[in-house]
Short mmCIF file of all heavy atoms in Angstrom, two decimals:
data_model
loop_
_atom_site.label_atom_id
_atom_site.label_comp_id
_atom_site.label_asym_id
_atom_site.label_seq_id
_atom_site.Cartn_x
_atom_site.Cartn_y
_atom_site.Cartn_z
N MET A 1303 219.86 60.15 117.79
CA MET A 1303 220.34 60.83 116.66
C MET A 1303 219.42 61.86 116.15
O MET A 1303 218.23 61.57 115.87
CB MET A 1303 220.64 59.74 115.60
CG MET A 1303 221.53 60.24 114.45
SD MET A 1303 221.93 58.79 113.39
CE MET A 1303 221.92 59.66 111.82
N PRO A 1304 219.84 63.19 116.03
CA PRO A 1304 218.93 64.21 115.49
C PRO A 1304 218.57 63.94 114.10
O PRO A 1304 219.33 63.35 113.33
CB PRO A 1304 219.71 65.48 115.66
CG PRO A 1304 221.17 65.07 115.64
CD PRO A 1304 221.28 63.69 116.12
N GLN A 1305 217.33 64.36 113.79
CA GLN A 1305 216.87 64.19 112.35
C GLN A 1305 217.56 65.25 111.50
O GLN A 1305 217.69 66.46 111.98
CB GLN A 1305 215.48 64.29 112.31
CG GLN A 1305 214.74 63.00 112.73
CD GLN A 1305 213.23 63.20 112.59
OE1 GLN A 1305 212.58 63.95 113.18
NE2 GLN A 1305 212.72 62.24 111.71
N ASP A 1306 217.95 64.88 110.32
CA ASP A 1306 218.48 65.83 109.35
C ASP A 1306 217.43 66.70 108.77
O ASP A 1306 216.34 66.11 108.33
CB ASP A 1306 219.33 65.17 108.29
CG ASP A 1306 220.60 64.54 108.93
OD1 ASP A 1306 221.43 65.42 109.47
OD2 ASP A 1306 220.86 63.41 108.80
N LYS A 1307 217.70 67.93 108.63
CA LYS A 1307 216.64 68.76 107.92
C LYS A 1307 217.29 69.45 106.68
O LYS A 1307 218.50 69.65 106.54
CB LYS A 1307 216.34 69.96 108.92
CG LYS A 1307 215.50 69.48 110.08
CD LYS A 1307 215.21 70.52 111.00
CE LYS A 1307 214.39 70.01 112.17
NZ LYS A 1307 214.26 71.00 113.31
N CYS A 1308 216.40 69.74 105.70
CA CYS A 1308 216.85 70.51 104.57
C CYS A 1308 217.47 71.69 104.79
O CYS A 1308 216.95 72.54 105.58
CB CYS A 1308 215.59 70.77 103.66
SG CYS A 1308 215.88 71.72 102.22
N LYS A 1309 218.60 71.96 104.30
CA LYS A 1309 219.43 73.21 104.59
C LYS A 1309 218.68 74.54 103.98
O LYS A 1309 219.10 75.63 104.42
CB LYS A 1309 220.81 73.23 104.23
CG LYS A 1309 221.14 73.12 102.72
CD LYS A 1309 222.62 73.02 102.49
CE LYS A 1309 222.97 72.92 100.93
NZ LYS A 1309 224.34 72.78 100.62
N ILE A 1310 217.75 74.34 103.03
CA ILE A 1310 217.09 75.46 102.48
C ILE A 1310 215.75 75.80 103.20
O ILE A 1310 215.53 76.83 103.73
CB ILE A 1310 216.82 75.19 100.98
CG1 ILE A 1310 218.01 74.78 100.21
CG2 ILE A 1310 216.16 76.45 100.36
CD1 ILE A 1310 219.00 75.78 99.96
N CYS A 1311 214.96 74.72 103.33
CA CYS A 1311 213.57 74.97 103.81
C CYS A 1311 213.29 74.40 105.20
O CYS A 1311 212.32 74.66 105.88
CB CYS A 1311 212.59 74.46 102.81
SG CYS A 1311 212.41 72.72 102.77
N GLY A 1312 214.23 73.62 105.68
CA GLY A 1312 214.05 73.06 107.07
C GLY A 1312 213.19 71.82 107.12
O GLY A 1312 212.96 71.33 108.25
N ASN A 1313 212.63 71.38 106.11
CA ASN A 1313 211.81 70.08 106.12
C ASN A 1313 212.60 68.91 106.66
O ASN A 1313 213.93 68.87 106.39
CB ASN A 1313 211.35 69.78 104.77
CG ASN A 1313 210.08 70.40 104.41
OD1 ASN A 1313 209.32 70.94 105.23
ND2 ASN A 1313 209.70 70.36 103.08
N ILE A 1314 212.01 68.08 107.41
CA ILE A 1314 212.74 66.85 107.78
C ILE A 1314 212.92 65.94 106.51
O ILE A 1314 212.07 65.78 105.76
CB ILE A 1314 211.83 66.05 108.83
CG1 ILE A 1314 211.40 66.93 109.99
CG2 ILE A 1314 212.52 64.77 109.14
CD1 ILE A 1314 212.55 67.15 110.98
N LEU A 1315 214.08 65.52 106.52
CA LEU A 1315 214.58 64.58 105.30
C LEU A 1315 214.32 63.18 105.60
O LEU A 1315 214.63 62.65 106.71
CB LEU A 1315 216.03 64.99 105.03
CG LEU A 1315 216.42 66.40 104.65
CD1 LEU A 1315 217.86 66.57 104.62
CD2 LEU A 1315 215.69 66.80 103.26
N ASP A 1316 213.93 62.43 104.60
CA ASP A 1316 214.03 61.02 104.69
C ASP A 1316 215.33 60.48 104.21
O ASP A 1316 216.21 61.16 103.55
CB ASP A 1316 212.80 60.41 104.06
CG ASP A 1316 212.73 60.39 102.57
OD1 ASP A 1316 213.88 60.47 101.95
OD2 ASP A 1316 211.69 60.33 102.04
N LYS A 1317 215.60 59.27 104.42
CA LYS A 1317 216.96 58.67 104.08
C LYS A 1317 217.30 58.67 102.61
O LYS A 1317 218.36 58.76 102.28
CB LYS A 1317 217.07 57.26 104.77
CG LYS A 1317 216.10 56.17 104.32
CD LYS A 1317 216.37 54.93 105.16
CE LYS A 1317 215.37 53.85 104.88
NZ LYS A 1317 214.40 54.04 103.76
N ASP A 1318 216.22 58.56 101.85
CA ASP A 1318 216.49 58.66 100.40
C ASP A 1318 216.94 60.00 99.90
O ASP A 1318 217.71 60.02 99.03
CB ASP A 1318 215.16 58.19 99.66
CG ASP A 1318 214.85 56.73 99.67
OD1 ASP A 1318 215.67 55.93 100.13
OD2 ASP A 1318 213.65 56.28 99.35
N GLU A 1319 216.31 60.97 100.50
CA GLU A 1319 216.66 62.36 100.08
C GLU A 1319 218.16 62.58 100.50
O GLU A 1319 218.87 63.23 99.78
CB GLU A 1319 215.78 63.35 100.82
CG GLU A 1319 214.40 63.37 100.25
CD GLU A 1319 213.34 64.32 100.94
OE1 GLU A 1319 213.32 64.17 102.26
OE2 GLU A 1319 212.69 65.07 100.32
N ILE A 1320 218.58 62.13 101.61
CA ILE A 1320 219.87 62.34 102.10
C ILE A 1320 220.88 61.53 101.08
O ILE A 1320 221.83 62.03 100.62
CB ILE A 1320 220.13 61.83 103.51
CG1 ILE A 1320 219.43 62.79 104.38
CG2 ILE A 1320 221.55 61.77 103.90
CD1 ILE A 1320 219.23 62.41 105.83
N ALA A 1321 220.45 60.22 100.86
CA ALA A 1321 221.33 59.38 99.98
C ALA A 1321 221.34 60.02 98.59
O ALA A 1321 222.55 59.96 97.99
CB ALA A 1321 220.72 58.02 99.95
N VAL A 1322 220.25 60.49 98.04
CA VAL A 1322 220.43 60.90 96.64
C VAL A 1322 221.35 62.20 96.56
O VAL A 1322 222.08 62.45 95.62
CB VAL A 1322 219.04 61.11 95.90
CG1 VAL A 1322 218.31 62.39 96.29
CG2 VAL A 1322 219.16 61.04 94.42
N TYR A 1323 221.20 63.02 97.65
CA TYR A 1323 222.01 64.19 97.65
C TYR A 1323 223.59 63.81 97.77
O TYR A 1323 224.38 64.38 96.94
CB TYR A 1323 221.60 65.01 98.86
CG TYR A 1323 222.42 66.44 98.90
CD1 TYR A 1323 221.88 67.42 98.21
CD2 TYR A 1323 223.56 66.58 99.59
CE1 TYR A 1323 222.40 68.70 98.14
CE2 TYR A 1323 224.22 67.76 99.53
CZ TYR A 1323 223.70 68.88 98.90
OH TYR A 1323 224.39 70.09 98.95
N LYS A 1324 223.81 62.91 98.56
CA LYS A 1324 225.24 62.33 98.70
C LYS A 1324 225.66 61.77 97.37
O LYS A 1324 226.80 62.08 96.91
CB LYS A 1324 225.32 61.29 99.73
CG LYS A 1324 225.29 61.89 101.09
CD LYS A 1324 225.66 60.65 102.13
CE LYS A 1324 225.73 61.26 103.51
NZ LYS A 1324 225.80 60.11 104.43
N ARG A 1325 224.78 61.07 96.66
CA ARG A 1325 225.23 60.32 95.47
C ARG A 1325 225.42 61.29 94.30
O ARG A 1325 226.28 61.20 93.52
CB ARG A 1325 224.06 59.37 95.11
CG ARG A 1325 224.35 58.45 94.00
CD ARG A 1325 225.48 57.50 94.20
NE ARG A 1325 225.75 56.56 93.10
CZ ARG A 1325 226.38 56.90 92.02
NH1 ARG A 1325 226.83 58.21 91.87
NH2 ARG A 1325 226.54 56.09 91.09
N MET A 1326 224.55 62.36 94.24
CA MET A 1326 224.59 63.30 93.14
C MET A 1326 225.40 64.54 93.30
O MET A 1326 225.74 65.14 92.33
CB MET A 1326 223.11 63.66 92.66
CG MET A 1326 222.37 62.41 92.11
SD MET A 1326 220.71 62.81 91.70
CE MET A 1326 220.90 63.69 90.25
N VAL A 1327 225.57 64.95 94.55
CA VAL A 1327 226.17 66.20 94.77
C VAL A 1327 227.54 66.08 95.53
O VAL A 1327 228.56 66.52 94.97
CB VAL A 1327 225.28 67.13 95.70
CG1 VAL A 1327 225.93 68.48 95.89
CG2 VAL A 1327 223.94 67.44 95.02
N ASN A 1328 227.50 65.42 96.59
CA ASN A 1328 228.80 65.40 97.35
C ASN A 1328 228.68 64.30 98.51
O ASN A 1328 227.84 64.33 99.37
CB ASN A 1328 228.88 66.73 98.20
CG ASN A 1328 230.21 66.74 99.05
OD1 ASN A 1328 230.99 65.78 99.04
ND2 ASN A 1328 230.30 67.78 99.76
N ARG A 1329 229.44 63.27 98.27
CA ARG A 1329 229.43 62.05 99.06
C ARG A 1329 229.67 62.42 100.54
O ARG A 1329 229.38 61.74 101.48
CB ARG A 1329 230.46 61.04 98.54
CG ARG A 1329 229.97 59.59 98.62
CD ARG A 1329 230.94 58.82 97.79
NE ARG A 1329 230.20 58.11 96.78
CZ ARG A 1329 229.59 56.86 96.88
NH1 ARG A 1329 229.75 56.16 97.98
NH2 ARG A 1329 228.92 56.35 95.99
N GLY A 1330 230.56 63.39 100.69
CA GLY A 1330 230.93 63.79 102.05
C GLY A 1330 230.03 64.90 102.66
O GLY A 1330 230.49 65.42 103.73
N ALA A 1331 228.94 65.16 102.04
CA ALA A 1331 228.07 66.24 102.55
C ALA A 1331 227.64 66.02 103.98
O ALA A 1331 227.41 64.81 104.38
CB ALA A 1331 226.87 66.48 101.64
N THR A 1332 227.51 67.07 104.73
CA THR A 1332 226.90 66.92 106.07
C THR A 1332 225.60 67.85 106.19
O THR A 1332 224.94 67.68 107.17
CB THR A 1332 227.93 67.43 107.13
OG1 THR A 1332 228.29 68.77 106.81
CG2 THR A 1332 229.05 66.52 107.21
N GLU A 1333 225.37 68.56 105.11
CA GLU A 1333 223.99 69.19 105.04
C GLU A 1333 223.35 68.78 103.70
O GLU A 1333 224.17 68.68 102.73
CB GLU A 1333 224.21 70.67 104.98
CG GLU A 1333 224.80 71.32 106.25
CD GLU A 1333 224.93 72.86 106.11
OE1 GLU A 1333 225.64 73.23 105.28
OE2 GLU A 1333 224.33 73.61 106.83
N TYR A 1334 222.10 68.66 103.65
CA TYR A 1334 221.33 68.12 102.54
C TYR A 1334 220.15 68.99 102.19
O TYR A 1334 219.81 69.82 102.93
CB TYR A 1334 220.86 66.68 102.84
CG TYR A 1334 221.88 65.87 103.56
CD1 TYR A 1334 221.83 65.72 105.02
CD2 TYR A 1334 223.03 65.38 102.99
CE1 TYR A 1334 222.76 64.99 105.66
CE2 TYR A 1334 224.04 64.68 103.63
CZ TYR A 1334 223.89 64.50 105.04
OH TYR A 1334 224.79 63.78 105.68
N MET A 1335 219.55 68.64 101.00
CA MET A 1335 218.43 69.31 100.61
C MET A 1335 217.16 68.30 100.38
O MET A 1335 217.54 67.14 99.99
CB MET A 1335 218.62 70.00 99.28
CG MET A 1335 219.42 71.38 99.38
SD MET A 1335 219.45 71.97 97.70
CE MET A 1335 221.18 72.24 97.55
N CYS A 1336 216.07 68.77 100.67
CA CYS A 1336 214.91 67.91 100.24
C CYS A 1336 214.75 67.91 98.76
O CYS A 1336 215.26 68.69 98.08
CB CYS A 1336 213.55 68.40 100.95
SG CYS A 1336 213.11 70.04 100.36
N ILE A 1337 213.92 66.98 98.26
CA ILE A 1337 213.65 66.79 96.86
C ILE A 1337 213.18 68.03 96.16
O ILE A 1337 213.68 68.53 95.13
CB ILE A 1337 212.80 65.68 96.60
CG1 ILE A 1337 213.51 64.34 96.81
CG2 ILE A 1337 212.18 65.65 95.24
CD1 ILE A 1337 212.72 63.07 96.57
N LYS A 1338 212.28 68.73 96.93
CA LYS A 1338 211.68 69.97 96.38
C LYS A 1338 212.75 71.08 96.14
O LYS A 1338 212.94 71.65 95.01
CB LYS A 1338 210.71 70.61 97.27
CG LYS A 1338 209.26 70.03 97.21
CD LYS A 1338 208.35 71.14 97.87
CE LYS A 1338 206.92 70.58 97.64
NZ LYS A 1338 206.56 69.44 98.27
N CYS A 1339 213.62 71.24 97.06
CA CYS A 1339 214.72 72.31 96.95
C CYS A 1339 215.82 71.86 96.05
O CYS A 1339 216.29 72.61 95.26
CB CYS A 1339 215.26 72.63 98.33
SG CYS A 1339 214.11 73.40 99.48
N PHE A 1340 216.09 70.57 96.03
CA PHE A 1340 216.96 70.02 95.09
C PHE A 1340 216.52 70.27 93.64
O PHE A 1340 217.31 70.72 92.83
CB PHE A 1340 217.08 68.50 95.35
CG PHE A 1340 218.23 67.85 94.67
CD1 PHE A 1340 219.36 67.29 95.39
CD2 PHE A 1340 218.31 67.64 93.26
CE1 PHE A 1340 220.45 66.65 94.84
CE2 PHE A 1340 219.34 66.93 92.69
CZ PHE A 1340 220.41 66.53 93.44
N ALA A 1341 215.29 70.01 93.44
CA ALA A 1341 214.77 70.22 92.06
C ALA A 1341 214.89 71.66 91.55
O ALA A 1341 215.14 71.93 90.41
CB ALA A 1341 213.28 69.78 91.99
N ILE A 1342 214.53 72.50 92.52
CA ILE A 1342 214.64 73.97 92.16
C ILE A 1342 216.13 74.41 91.79
O ILE A 1342 216.45 74.99 90.88
CB ILE A 1342 214.03 74.88 93.25
CG1 ILE A 1342 212.58 74.60 93.31
CG2 ILE A 1342 214.33 76.36 92.96
CD1 ILE A 1342 211.90 75.10 94.60
N LYS A 1343 216.93 73.95 92.80
CA LYS A 1343 218.40 74.29 92.71
C LYS A 1343 219.03 73.80 91.48
O LYS A 1343 219.85 74.45 90.79
CB LYS A 1343 219.03 73.80 93.93
CG LYS A 1343 220.62 73.82 93.91
CD LYS A 1343 221.17 75.02 94.57
CE LYS A 1343 222.72 74.95 94.52
NZ LYS A 1343 223.35 76.25 94.71
N PHE A 1344 218.78 72.60 91.07
CA PHE A 1344 219.42 71.96 89.92
C PHE A 1344 218.54 71.92 88.68
O PHE A 1344 218.95 71.25 87.75
CB PHE A 1344 219.95 70.55 90.29
CG PHE A 1344 221.01 70.55 91.31
CD1 PHE A 1344 220.70 70.33 92.68
CD2 PHE A 1344 222.33 70.96 91.09
CE1 PHE A 1344 221.70 70.38 93.74
CE2 PHE A 1344 223.29 70.91 92.04
CZ PHE A 1344 223.00 70.68 93.31
N GLU A 1345 217.47 72.64 88.74
CA GLU A 1345 216.50 72.71 87.69
C GLU A 1345 216.18 71.43 86.94
O GLU A 1345 216.31 71.22 85.81
CB GLU A 1345 217.08 73.68 86.58
CG GLU A 1345 217.32 75.07 87.17
CD GLU A 1345 217.92 76.10 86.20
OE1 GLU A 1345 218.79 75.69 85.33
OE2 GLU A 1345 217.60 77.24 86.22
N VAL A 1346 215.72 70.49 87.80
CA VAL A 1346 215.23 69.25 87.36
C VAL A 1346 213.86 69.00 88.04
O VAL A 1346 213.46 69.87 88.95
CB VAL A 1346 216.09 68.04 87.79
CG1 VAL A 1346 217.50 68.09 87.03
CG2 VAL A 1346 216.29 67.98 89.26
N THR A 1347 213.10 68.03 87.56
CA THR A 1347 211.84 67.77 88.14
C THR A 1347 211.94 66.83 89.36
O THR A 1347 212.86 66.18 89.52
CB THR A 1347 210.84 67.09 87.26
OG1 THR A 1347 211.38 65.78 86.81
CG2 THR A 1347 210.62 67.99 85.90
N GLU A 1348 210.99 66.99 90.30
CA GLU A 1348 210.99 66.04 91.47
C GLU A 1348 210.91 64.65 91.06
O GLU A 1348 211.50 63.76 91.64
CB GLU A 1348 209.78 66.38 92.46
CG GLU A 1348 209.97 67.73 93.10
CD GLU A 1348 208.87 68.10 94.07
OE1 GLU A 1348 208.40 67.16 94.71
OE2 GLU A 1348 208.55 69.22 94.07
N LYS A 1349 210.14 64.42 89.96
CA LYS A 1349 210.01 62.98 89.49
C LYS A 1349 211.45 62.52 88.87
O LYS A 1349 211.66 61.32 89.14
CB LYS A 1349 208.97 63.05 88.29
CG LYS A 1349 208.99 61.65 87.56
CD LYS A 1349 207.64 61.36 86.97
CE LYS A 1349 207.65 59.85 86.59
NZ LYS A 1349 208.85 59.12 86.15
N ALA A 1350 212.15 63.28 88.22
CA ALA A 1350 213.42 62.95 87.88
C ALA A 1350 214.30 62.47 88.98
O ALA A 1350 215.12 61.54 88.84
CB ALA A 1350 214.14 64.08 87.10
N ILE A 1351 214.20 63.21 90.10
CA ILE A 1351 215.00 62.83 91.24
C ILE A 1351 214.51 61.44 91.78
O ILE A 1351 215.27 60.61 92.21
CB ILE A 1351 214.87 63.97 92.32
CG1 ILE A 1351 215.52 65.18 91.79
CG2 ILE A 1351 215.77 63.53 93.59
CD1 ILE A 1351 215.20 66.51 92.62
N LYS A 1352 213.27 61.29 91.99
CA LYS A 1352 212.70 60.04 92.43
C LYS A 1352 213.11 58.90 91.57
O LYS A 1352 213.44 57.85 92.02
CB LYS A 1352 211.17 60.14 92.57
CG LYS A 1352 210.72 61.04 93.78
CD LYS A 1352 209.28 61.20 93.83
CE LYS A 1352 208.94 62.27 94.96
NZ LYS A 1352 207.60 62.73 94.74
N ASP A 1353 213.04 59.18 90.25
CA ASP A 1353 213.55 58.12 89.30
C ASP A 1353 215.01 57.80 89.56
O ASP A 1353 215.40 56.63 89.54
CB ASP A 1353 213.37 58.56 87.79
CG ASP A 1353 211.88 58.60 87.46
OD1 ASP A 1353 211.07 58.00 88.18
OD2 ASP A 1353 211.68 59.14 86.33
N LYS A 1354 215.83 58.77 89.86
CA LYS A 1354 217.23 58.60 90.19
C LYS A 1354 217.33 57.71 91.46
O LYS A 1354 218.19 56.75 91.50
CB LYS A 1354 217.92 59.84 90.39
CG LYS A 1354 218.24 60.70 89.19
CD LYS A 1354 219.58 60.05 88.58
CE LYS A 1354 219.95 60.97 87.28
NZ LYS A 1354 220.91 60.03 86.51
N ILE A 1355 216.56 57.99 92.41
CA ILE A 1355 216.57 57.20 93.65
C ILE A 1355 216.35 55.70 93.33
O ILE A 1355 217.06 54.86 93.80
CB ILE A 1355 215.60 57.76 94.69
CG1 ILE A 1355 215.97 59.10 95.14
CG2 ILE A 1355 215.33 56.82 95.88
CD1 ILE A 1355 215.02 59.89 96.06
N GLU A 1356 215.28 55.43 92.56
CA GLU A 1356 214.94 54.06 92.16
C GLU A 1356 216.09 53.48 91.36
O GLU A 1356 216.47 52.31 91.61
CB GLU A 1356 213.66 54.09 91.37
CG GLU A 1356 212.45 54.33 92.06
CD GLU A 1356 212.37 53.61 93.47
OE1 GLU A 1356 212.50 52.32 93.36
OE2 GLU A 1356 212.14 54.24 94.52
N HIS A 1357 216.70 54.20 90.39
CA HIS A 1357 217.83 53.83 89.68
C HIS A 1357 218.98 53.41 90.54
O HIS A 1357 219.50 52.27 90.37
CB HIS A 1357 218.12 54.87 88.70
CG HIS A 1357 219.38 54.53 87.93
ND1 HIS A 1357 219.43 53.70 86.90
CD2 HIS A 1357 220.64 55.07 87.95
CE1 HIS A 1357 220.63 53.59 86.29
NE2 HIS A 1357 221.36 54.48 86.99
N PHE A 1358 219.38 54.25 91.43
CA PHE A 1358 220.39 53.92 92.32
C PHE A 1358 220.16 52.70 93.21
O PHE A 1358 221.03 51.89 93.51
CB PHE A 1358 220.97 55.10 93.16
CG PHE A 1358 221.39 56.31 92.47
CD1 PHE A 1358 221.00 57.57 92.68
CD2 PHE A 1358 222.38 56.07 91.39
CE1 PHE A 1358 221.47 58.70 91.99
CE2 PHE A 1358 222.94 57.19 90.82
CZ PHE A 1358 222.44 58.45 91.00
N LYS A 1359 218.92 52.59 93.69
CA LYS A 1359 218.58 51.41 94.49
C LYS A 1359 218.71 50.17 93.68
O LYS A 1359 219.25 49.14 94.17
CB LYS A 1359 217.11 51.54 94.97
CG LYS A 1359 217.01 52.50 96.12
CD LYS A 1359 215.63 52.53 96.64
CE LYS A 1359 215.47 53.30 97.87
NZ LYS A 1359 213.98 53.43 98.37
N LYS A 1360 218.31 50.29 92.49
CA LYS A 1360 218.31 49.05 91.52
C LYS A 1360 219.77 48.60 91.22
O LYS A 1360 220.18 47.51 91.15
CB LYS A 1360 217.69 49.27 90.30
CG LYS A 1360 216.19 49.17 90.31
CD LYS A 1360 215.51 48.86 88.99
CE LYS A 1360 214.01 48.91 89.10
NZ LYS A 1360 213.52 50.15 88.61
N MET A 1361 220.68 49.65 91.14
CA MET A 1361 222.18 49.40 90.98
C MET A 1361 222.77 48.85 92.22
O MET A 1361 223.92 48.45 92.17
CB MET A 1361 222.82 50.65 90.64
CG MET A 1361 222.67 51.12 89.14
SD MET A 1361 223.32 52.77 88.84
CE MET A 1361 224.79 52.81 89.88
N GLY A 1362 222.05 48.90 93.35
CA GLY A 1362 222.63 48.37 94.52
C GLY A 1362 223.61 49.41 95.20
O GLY A 1362 224.54 49.02 95.97
N CYS A 1363 223.39 50.68 94.83
CA CYS A 1363 224.27 51.75 95.57
C CYS A 1363 224.18 51.60 97.05
O CYS A 1363 223.11 51.61 97.67
CB CYS A 1363 223.80 53.12 95.10
SG CYS A 1363 224.65 54.46 95.95
N THR A 1364 225.39 51.62 97.68
CA THR A 1364 225.48 51.35 99.09
C THR A 1364 225.01 52.49 99.99
O THR A 1364 224.79 52.38 101.14
CB THR A 1364 226.92 51.08 99.46
OG1 THR A 1364 227.74 52.13 99.00
CG2 THR A 1364 227.41 49.72 98.87
N LEU A 1365 224.77 53.64 99.37
CA LEU A 1365 224.27 54.78 100.13
C LEU A 1365 222.77 54.62 100.48
O LEU A 1365 222.14 55.19 101.34
CB LEU A 1365 224.38 56.15 99.31
CG LEU A 1365 225.80 56.61 99.11
CD1 LEU A 1365 225.84 57.80 98.12
CD2 LEU A 1365 226.47 57.02 100.44
N PHE A 1366 222.11 53.70 99.73
CA PHE A 1366 220.71 53.46 99.79
C PHE A 1366 220.48 52.22 100.62
O PHE A 1366 220.97 51.20 100.35
CB PHE A 1366 220.00 53.51 98.54
CG PHE A 1366 220.04 54.77 97.75
CD1 PHE A 1366 221.04 55.09 96.94
CD2 PHE A 1366 219.05 55.71 97.93
CE1 PHE A 1366 221.16 56.30 96.30
CE2 PHE A 1366 218.96 56.89 97.15
CZ PHE A 1366 220.03 57.21 96.44
N ASP A 1367 219.45 52.24 101.53
CA ASP A 1367 218.87 51.03 102.02
C ASP A 1367 217.89 50.44 101.12
O ASP A 1367 217.16 51.21 100.48
CB ASP A 1367 218.17 51.31 103.38
CG ASP A 1367 219.10 51.94 104.41
OD1 ASP A 1367 220.35 51.42 104.45
OD2 ASP A 1367 218.65 52.71 105.27
N THR A 1368 217.93 49.13 100.90
CA THR A 1368 216.92 48.60 100.08
C THR A 1368 215.89 47.70 100.76
O THR A 1368 216.16 47.41 101.95
CB THR A 1368 217.52 47.79 98.92
OG1 THR A 1368 218.56 46.88 99.46
CG2 THR A 1368 218.33 48.70 97.88
ZN1 LIG B 643 213.90 71.86 101.18
#
């Protein structure tokens, strides 16, 4: 399975970055953004996105592995 890369900067994405993108932007997405590009695009801090990841994990969101 090829590794997914950020559609903006080309960084290799980890599974949390993919999951949070699906959860917050588009569940059916096939291209994703890294946290850095996500933060710039949506004018939020990287920390806010990481907090969201933790939040969704705690909620037991099925997009995230726990
Ligand atoms: Zn990026």
Side-chain angles (χ1 to χ4, degrees):
M1303 195 171 145
Q1305 281 183 298
D1306 287 303
K1307 291 180 182 166
C1308 172
K1309 66 179 176 181
I1310 310 288
C1311 71
N1313 274 344
I1314 303 288
L1315 299 169
D1316 69 29
K1317 57 185 175 10
D1318 287 345
E1319 288 174 314
I1320 292 169
V1322 80
Y1323 187 87
K1324 283 186 174 174
R1325 186 69 178 73
M1326 293 179 72
V1327 181
N1328 176 5
R1329 219 167 240 270
T1332 54
E1333 295 181 296
Y1334 318 101
M1335 282 183 233
C1336 67
I1337 282 178
K1338 272 199 176 70
C1339 295
F1340 193 110
I1342 294 164
K1343 167 94 174 158
F1344 294 99
E1345 299 181 325
V1346 295
T1347 63
E1348 289 179 41
K1349 172 151 191 333
I1351 298 166
K1352 285 174 187 164
D1353 287 347
K1354 282 280 183 201
I1355 290 171
E1356 290 311 309
H1357 174 71
F1358 292 135
K1359 281 183 176 175
K1360 281 202 186 98
M1361 282 171 38
C1363 177
T1364 53
L1365 290 171
F1366 294 86
D1367 298 327
T1368 50

